[in-house]
Short mmCIF file of all heavy atoms in Angstrom, two decimals:
data_model
loop_
_atom_site.label_atom_id
_atom_site.label_comp_id
_atom_site.label_asym_id
_atom_site.label_seq_id
_atom_site.Cartn_x
_atom_site.Cartn_y
_atom_site.Cartn_z
N ASN A 24 94.75 108.83 92.70
CA ASN A 24 95.58 108.06 93.65
C ASN A 24 94.96 108.04 95.05
O ASN A 24 95.61 108.36 96.04
CB ASN A 24 97.01 108.63 93.73
CG ASN A 24 97.72 108.59 92.40
OD1 ASN A 24 97.59 107.63 91.65
ND2 ASN A 24 98.45 109.65 92.08
N TYR A 25 93.69 107.65 95.13
CA TYR A 25 93.00 107.69 96.41
C TYR A 25 92.39 106.33 96.76
O TYR A 25 92.22 105.46 95.91
CB TYR A 25 91.90 108.75 96.39
CG TYR A 25 90.86 108.53 95.32
CD1 TYR A 25 89.78 107.67 95.53
CD2 TYR A 25 90.96 109.18 94.09
CE1 TYR A 25 88.83 107.46 94.54
CE2 TYR A 25 90.01 108.97 93.09
CZ TYR A 25 88.96 108.11 93.33
OH TYR A 25 88.02 107.89 92.35
N LYS A 26 92.07 106.20 98.05
CA LYS A 26 91.33 105.04 98.52
C LYS A 26 90.40 105.49 99.64
O LYS A 26 90.59 106.56 100.22
CB LYS A 26 92.27 103.95 99.03
CG LYS A 26 93.07 104.33 100.26
CD LYS A 26 93.97 103.18 100.72
CE LYS A 26 94.76 103.57 101.98
NZ LYS A 26 95.63 102.46 102.43
N VAL A 27 89.41 104.67 99.95
CA VAL A 27 88.47 104.97 101.02
C VAL A 27 89.08 104.59 102.37
O VAL A 27 89.72 103.54 102.50
CB VAL A 27 87.14 104.21 100.83
CG1 VAL A 27 86.20 104.42 102.02
CG2 VAL A 27 86.47 104.65 99.54
N ALA A 28 88.91 105.44 103.37
CA ALA A 28 89.33 105.12 104.73
C ALA A 28 88.15 105.35 105.67
O ALA A 28 87.47 106.37 105.58
CB ALA A 28 90.52 105.98 105.15
N LEU A 29 87.90 104.39 106.54
CA LEU A 29 86.83 104.50 107.52
C LEU A 29 87.40 104.80 108.90
O LEU A 29 88.41 104.21 109.30
CB LEU A 29 86.01 103.21 107.58
CG LEU A 29 85.18 102.86 106.34
CD1 LEU A 29 84.42 101.56 106.58
CD2 LEU A 29 84.22 103.98 105.98
N TYR A 30 86.72 105.68 109.63
CA TYR A 30 87.11 106.03 110.99
C TYR A 30 85.85 106.08 111.86
O TYR A 30 84.77 105.72 111.40
CB TYR A 30 87.82 107.38 111.01
CG TYR A 30 89.15 107.40 110.28
CD1 TYR A 30 89.25 107.95 109.00
CD2 TYR A 30 90.29 106.86 110.85
CE1 TYR A 30 90.46 107.98 108.33
CE2 TYR A 30 91.51 106.87 110.19
CZ TYR A 30 91.58 107.43 108.93
OH TYR A 30 92.78 107.44 108.26
N GLY A 31 86.01 106.51 113.09
CA GLY A 31 84.85 106.64 113.97
C GLY A 31 84.09 105.35 114.12
O GLY A 31 82.85 105.34 114.10
N ASP A 32 84.83 104.24 114.27
CA ASP A 32 84.22 102.91 114.38
C ASP A 32 83.28 102.62 113.21
O ASP A 32 82.20 102.04 113.37
CB ASP A 32 83.48 102.78 115.71
CG ASP A 32 84.41 102.93 116.90
OD1 ASP A 32 85.52 102.36 116.87
OD2 ASP A 32 84.04 103.63 117.87
N GLY A 33 83.71 103.04 112.03
CA GLY A 33 82.97 102.75 110.81
C GLY A 33 81.91 103.76 110.44
O GLY A 33 81.21 103.59 109.44
N LYS A 34 81.80 104.85 111.20
CA LYS A 34 80.73 105.82 110.94
C LYS A 34 81.22 107.08 110.22
O LYS A 34 80.41 107.95 109.87
CB LYS A 34 80.05 106.20 112.26
CG LYS A 34 79.32 105.02 112.90
CD LYS A 34 78.66 105.42 114.21
CE LYS A 34 77.91 104.23 114.82
NZ LYS A 34 77.25 104.60 116.10
N ILE A 35 82.52 107.18 110.02
CA ILE A 35 83.12 108.31 109.30
C ILE A 35 83.88 107.76 108.10
O ILE A 35 84.56 106.75 108.21
CB ILE A 35 84.08 109.10 110.20
CG1 ILE A 35 83.36 109.69 111.42
CG2 ILE A 35 84.76 110.22 109.41
CD1 ILE A 35 84.29 110.38 112.39
N ALA A 36 83.78 108.46 106.97
CA ALA A 36 84.51 108.03 105.78
C ALA A 36 85.20 109.22 105.12
O ALA A 36 84.71 110.36 105.20
CB ALA A 36 83.55 107.38 104.78
N THR A 37 86.31 108.93 104.49
CA THR A 37 87.04 109.96 103.75
C THR A 37 87.82 109.29 102.64
O THR A 37 87.90 108.07 102.56
CB THR A 37 87.98 110.75 104.68
OG1 THR A 37 88.53 111.85 103.96
CG2 THR A 37 89.12 109.88 105.18
N LEU A 38 88.40 110.10 101.77
CA LEU A 38 89.33 109.61 100.77
C LEU A 38 90.73 110.06 101.17
O LEU A 38 90.92 111.22 101.56
CB LEU A 38 89.00 110.17 99.38
CG LEU A 38 87.67 109.76 98.75
CD1 LEU A 38 87.51 110.41 97.37
CD2 LEU A 38 87.54 108.24 98.65
N ILE A 39 91.69 109.16 101.10
CA ILE A 39 93.07 109.52 101.41
C ILE A 39 93.98 109.16 100.26
O ILE A 39 93.73 108.21 99.52
CB ILE A 39 93.56 108.87 102.72
CG1 ILE A 39 93.53 107.34 102.62
CG2 ILE A 39 92.77 109.35 103.92
CD1 ILE A 39 94.19 106.66 103.80
N ASP A 40 95.03 109.92 100.12
CA ASP A 40 96.03 109.68 99.08
C ASP A 40 96.80 108.41 99.42
O ASP A 40 97.31 108.26 100.53
CB ASP A 40 96.98 110.89 99.02
CG ASP A 40 97.91 110.84 97.83
OD1 ASP A 40 98.75 109.91 97.78
OD2 ASP A 40 97.83 111.73 96.97
N VAL A 41 96.89 107.50 98.48
CA VAL A 41 97.53 106.20 98.75
C VAL A 41 99.04 106.35 98.91
O VAL A 41 99.70 105.45 99.46
CB VAL A 41 97.22 105.18 97.64
CG1 VAL A 41 95.74 104.87 97.57
CG2 VAL A 41 97.73 105.67 96.28
N ILE A 42 99.61 107.46 98.43
CA ILE A 42 101.06 107.62 98.50
C ILE A 42 101.50 108.27 99.80
O ILE A 42 102.38 107.77 100.50
CB ILE A 42 101.57 108.44 97.30
CG1 ILE A 42 101.28 107.68 95.99
CG2 ILE A 42 103.08 108.72 97.42
CD1 ILE A 42 101.57 108.46 94.74
N ASP A 43 100.88 109.40 100.15
CA ASP A 43 101.38 110.14 101.33
C ASP A 43 100.39 110.17 102.49
O ASP A 43 100.67 110.80 103.52
CB ASP A 43 101.78 111.57 100.94
CG ASP A 43 100.60 112.41 100.45
OD1 ASP A 43 99.43 111.99 100.61
OD2 ASP A 43 100.84 113.50 99.92
N GLY A 44 99.25 109.48 102.38
CA GLY A 44 98.30 109.44 103.48
C GLY A 44 97.54 110.72 103.71
O GLY A 44 96.79 110.85 104.68
N GLY A 45 97.74 111.71 102.84
CA GLY A 45 97.03 112.98 102.97
C GLY A 45 95.71 112.94 102.22
O GLY A 45 95.09 111.90 102.06
N SER A 46 95.30 114.11 101.74
CA SER A 46 94.03 114.20 101.00
C SER A 46 94.30 114.32 99.51
O SER A 46 95.24 115.02 99.09
CB SER A 46 93.24 115.41 101.47
OG SER A 46 92.10 115.60 100.66
N PRO A 47 93.46 113.69 98.67
CA PRO A 47 93.60 113.86 97.22
C PRO A 47 92.98 115.16 96.72
O PRO A 47 92.98 115.44 95.52
CB PRO A 47 92.86 112.64 96.66
CG PRO A 47 91.80 112.37 97.67
CD PRO A 47 92.41 112.71 99.01
N LEU A 48 92.42 115.95 97.66
CA LEU A 48 91.81 117.24 97.31
C LEU A 48 92.83 118.34 97.59
O LEU A 48 93.04 118.73 98.73
CB LEU A 48 90.53 117.45 98.14
CG LEU A 48 89.70 118.69 97.83
CD1 LEU A 48 89.10 118.60 96.43
CD2 LEU A 48 88.59 118.88 98.87
N TRP A 49 93.46 118.83 96.51
CA TRP A 49 94.50 119.83 96.72
C TRP A 49 94.69 120.69 95.48
O TRP A 49 94.24 120.36 94.39
CB TRP A 49 95.83 119.17 97.10
CG TRP A 49 96.49 118.40 95.98
CD1 TRP A 49 96.13 117.17 95.50
CD2 TRP A 49 97.61 118.82 95.20
NE1 TRP A 49 96.95 116.79 94.47
CE2 TRP A 49 97.88 117.78 94.26
CE3 TRP A 49 98.42 119.95 95.20
CZ2 TRP A 49 98.92 117.87 93.34
CZ3 TRP A 49 99.46 120.03 94.29
CH2 TRP A 49 99.71 119.01 93.37
N GLY A 50 95.33 121.82 95.69
CA GLY A 50 95.63 122.72 94.58
C GLY A 50 96.82 123.57 94.95
O GLY A 50 97.30 123.55 96.09
N ASN A 51 97.33 124.33 93.99
CA ASN A 51 98.45 125.23 94.31
C ASN A 51 98.17 126.64 93.82
O ASN A 51 97.24 126.88 93.05
CB ASN A 51 99.78 124.69 93.79
CG ASN A 51 99.82 124.53 92.28
OD1 ASN A 51 99.04 125.16 91.56
ND2 ASN A 51 100.72 123.70 91.78
N TYR A 52 98.95 127.57 94.31
CA TYR A 52 98.80 128.98 93.94
C TYR A 52 100.18 129.62 93.92
O TYR A 52 101.09 129.23 94.65
CB TYR A 52 97.87 129.71 94.92
CG TYR A 52 98.28 129.62 96.36
CD1 TYR A 52 99.00 130.66 96.97
CD2 TYR A 52 97.97 128.51 97.14
CE1 TYR A 52 99.39 130.58 98.30
CE2 TYR A 52 98.35 128.42 98.47
CZ TYR A 52 99.06 129.46 99.04
OH TYR A 52 99.45 129.38 100.37
N GLU A 53 100.33 130.59 93.08
CA GLU A 53 101.63 131.23 92.88
C GLU A 53 101.87 132.28 93.96
O GLU A 53 101.00 133.11 94.26
CB GLU A 53 101.70 131.87 91.50
CG GLU A 53 103.10 132.27 91.08
CD GLU A 53 103.20 132.63 89.60
OE1 GLU A 53 102.13 132.79 88.96
OE2 GLU A 53 104.32 132.73 89.09
N VAL A 54 103.04 132.23 94.57
CA VAL A 54 103.39 133.21 95.61
C VAL A 54 104.49 134.16 95.14
O VAL A 54 104.70 135.22 95.71
CB VAL A 54 103.86 132.49 96.90
CG1 VAL A 54 102.70 131.76 97.55
CG2 VAL A 54 105.00 131.53 96.63
N ALA A 55 105.19 133.78 94.09
CA ALA A 55 106.22 134.62 93.48
C ALA A 55 106.44 134.09 92.07
O ALA A 55 105.86 133.07 91.69
CB ALA A 55 107.52 134.58 94.29
N ASP A 56 107.25 134.77 91.31
CA ASP A 56 107.49 134.35 89.93
C ASP A 56 107.95 132.90 89.85
O ASP A 56 109.07 132.57 90.24
CB ASP A 56 108.58 135.26 89.32
CG ASP A 56 108.03 136.02 88.13
OD1 ASP A 56 106.86 135.80 87.80
OD2 ASP A 56 108.78 136.82 87.54
N GLY A 57 107.06 132.04 89.37
CA GLY A 57 107.42 130.63 89.20
C GLY A 57 107.50 129.83 90.48
O GLY A 57 107.92 128.67 90.47
N LYS A 58 107.11 130.41 91.62
CA LYS A 58 107.13 129.70 92.90
C LYS A 58 105.70 129.50 93.39
O LYS A 58 104.90 130.44 93.40
CB LYS A 58 107.94 130.47 93.94
CG LYS A 58 109.43 130.55 93.60
CD LYS A 58 110.21 131.24 94.70
CE LYS A 58 111.70 131.27 94.36
NZ LYS A 58 112.49 131.94 95.43
N PHE A 59 105.41 128.26 93.81
CA PHE A 59 104.05 127.92 94.19
C PHE A 59 103.99 127.30 95.58
O PHE A 59 104.96 126.71 96.06
CB PHE A 59 103.46 126.92 93.18
CG PHE A 59 103.28 127.49 91.81
CD1 PHE A 59 104.34 127.53 90.92
CD2 PHE A 59 102.06 127.99 91.41
CE1 PHE A 59 104.18 128.05 89.64
CE2 PHE A 59 101.88 128.52 90.14
CZ PHE A 59 102.95 128.55 89.26
N LYS A 60 102.84 127.43 96.22
CA LYS A 60 102.54 126.74 97.48
C LYS A 60 101.30 125.89 97.28
O LYS A 60 100.46 126.19 96.42
CB LYS A 60 102.32 127.74 98.62
CG LYS A 60 103.58 128.36 99.16
CD LYS A 60 103.29 129.17 100.42
CE LYS A 60 104.59 129.71 101.03
NZ LYS A 60 104.33 130.49 102.27
#
């Protein structure tokens, strides 16, 4: 669910999540029984 976004007057590029505008690079980890961040 990503698309290319250009910044820095076209000299910077990244991938952003098309749904929330964040990054498509993410993961989670368990902090308690069945609870994740």
Side-chain angles (χ1 to χ4, degrees):
N24 300 320
Y25 59 84
K26 65 179 181 180
V27 174
L29 293 181
Y30 295 102
D32 299 317
K34 295 180 179 180
I35 299 175
T37 188
L38 296 180
I39 60 172
D40 190 296
V41 297
I42 297 173
D43 64 12
S46 173
L48 185 66
W49 70 285
N51 61 21
Y52 56 97
E53 193 168 13
V54 292
D56 241 358
K58 294 184 178 180
F59 294 83
K60 284 188 175 181

